[in-house]
Amino acid sequence: MGEELKVIVFGLGNEEYGIEVDKVRTIERMCPITRVPKTPSFIKGVINLRGVVVPVIDLRGRFNLAETELTDNSRIIVVAVADMEVGFIVDSANDVTDIDTDEIDSPPEIIGGIKAKYLRGIAKLNEDKLLIMLNLSEVLNKDEIIQLEGLEV
């Protein structure tokens, strides 16, 4: 048996995804987002989170999934990526769960239209439930992180 990994479970469309708890800073309700010109369309802008300017990315846009209306369940999950904080807009933040690292398989080439490079693996939670584990360092590549670091309000 491998070690236990605590993950935040969140929803995008019909799929459930996971991010390691130690990479998550906070989960926030939707708040006003200030648009920033000349950024990729999946970068929705920035928010002021307790005095810190945090870039916000729409994960649906990042993964080329169809955009949907934000709801009362929509959340911004603020994560630490390469020494900076970035917010991810998700459809819902559902749960914290423990995963045995032995239960994480390599991702297939593509899942639900999402390229494997964005995925750390697929975790089997039980017989009929899979959790798609994100690879945060690929969700934002180095060039995009540099671009985000230059965002000023």
Side-chain angles (χ1 to χ4, degrees), residues 46-98:
V46 294
I47 58 172
N48 182 340
L49 189 61
R50 294 180 271 291
V52 177
V53 174
V54 177
V56 176
I57 290 171
D58 183 351
L59 273 188
R60 282 179 164 278
R62 181 62 173 132
F63 295 155
N64 293 321
L65 301 174
E67 283 198 37
T68 60
E69 291 292 314
L70 298 175
T71 69
D72 289 342
N73 292 327
S74 299
R75 295 289 182 267
I76 298 175
I77 299 179
V78 179
V79 299
V81 181
D83 297 328
M84 70 178 293
E85 291 186 352
V86 178
F88 292 142
I89 298 174
V90 300
D91 294 346
S92 61
N94 305 329
D95 207 358
V96 176
T97 191
D98 292 320

